[in-house]
Amino acid sequence: MSRPAADRIDAARAALVVYDACRRALTPSDPARRAAMRPVLEAWVRLIGACRERGLPIVYTTPVSRADGADVVLLPTDLSVQTGAPSLTNCVEGSPDAGFPAEIAPRPEDYVYLKRRPSAFHGTGVAELLRMLRRDVLVIGGGATNRGVETSVREAFSMDLDTVVVRDCCWGGDAAAHTYSLDVAMKMYARVRTLPQTLSMLARG
């Protein structure tokens, strides 16, 4: 059995996934919510900047559905029955909400994928990109923590990807579920680290 990797991120093997850090989430119209999300946006600015300096590929996903709702998931889940709404609510494809805040906007050299399901990998081409780039270390954050991020982290584990989840870059509407996902659920599948810890790991990589 091989020994666990040291607490570092090998920049030559790593890629950053900016999971659903779109305008709808990080710069909402409601002033109070916008202020609450400001620290997350600032954390993303620092993380993306550090990853650019280390030469990591930057992969963005954005959650979209057609304007007519033809591709919206309408499965009979407990949550959909309880709320009367689909379990998954995406941005309308092509809308401003589906884009990214100016502070973290993708650059021409980055990769942007439209995502219609919770996983960063399902139907997107992200897994194929990582294989093509020979990247098997994943740095990820986003929201909602206990939904799409955790779904992606679990799938990454099944794909034998060494994953680091950046706490400061995650968010969720359910505080208890957000905390449980970071403190308990994802620890089997990834290393969960603060932004300062992640930046230090990148510096050692």
Side-chain angles (χ1 to χ4, degrees):
M1 179 181 296
S2 61
R3 297 181 61 186
D7 214 23
R8 57 187 288 272
I9 295 171
D10 185 347
R13 296 170 50 202
L16 172 65
V17 171
V18 185
Y19 181 93
D20 291 9
C22 56
R23 291 193 190 100
R24 183 182 72 169
L26 294 185
T27 54
S29 57
D30 177 69
R33 180 63 181 161
R34 193 183 186 104
M37 292 302 293
R38 187 68 198 181
V40 181
L41 177 56
E42 291 174 353
W44 271 117
V45 170
R46 292 183 63 194
L47 179 61
I48 291 172
C51 288
R52 289 196 192 285
E53 289 179 4
R54 298 291 289 149
L56 274 66
I58 313 294
V59 182
Y60 292 77
T61 67
T62 187
V64 299
S65 295
R66 287 167 50 105
D68 62 6
D71 55 352
V72 172
V73 180
L74 292 172
L75 298 175
T77 66
D78 286 341
L79 183 62
S80 67
V81 171
Q82 176 185 339
T83 63
S87 297
L88 181 66
T89 55
N90 291 331
C91 303
V92 174
E93 186 173 353
S95 69
D97 277 353
F100 302 95
E103 296 93 327
I104 59 168
R107 295 181 181 178
E109 66 269 25
D110 299 331
Y111 304 87
V112 180
Y113 289 89
L114 303 183
K115 184 178 65 59
R116 301 176 191 276
R117 297 295 184 268
S119 171
F121 304 106
H122 182 82
T124 61
V126 172
E128 291 79 3
L129 173 70
L130 295 178
R131 284 196 291 271
M132 182 185 72
L133 298 177
R134 302 183 186 279
R135 303 282 167 155
D136 59 0
V137 178
L138 198 65
V139 182
I140 188 171
T145 310
N146 58 300
R147 293 189 179 194
V149 176
E150 186 174 323
T151 296
S152 302
V153 167
R154 288 171 180 264
E155 190 166 348
F157 183 85
S158 295
M159 294 164 55
D160 301 327
L161 296 176
D162 173 8
T163 302
V164 176
V165 179
V166 187
R167 295 184 70 105
D168 308 64
C169 293
C170 293
W171 68 88
D174 184 326
H178 163 82
T179 300
Y180 183 87
S181 183
L182 290 170
D183 291 347
V184 181
M186 285 197 283
K187 285 192 171 182
M188 176 177 174
Y189 306 102
R191 290 176 284 172
V192 180
R193 298 291 183 268
T194 64
L195 177 61
Q197 288 171 334
T198 304
L199 297 179
S200 177
M201 292 164 71
L202 279 166
R204 293 198 296 267

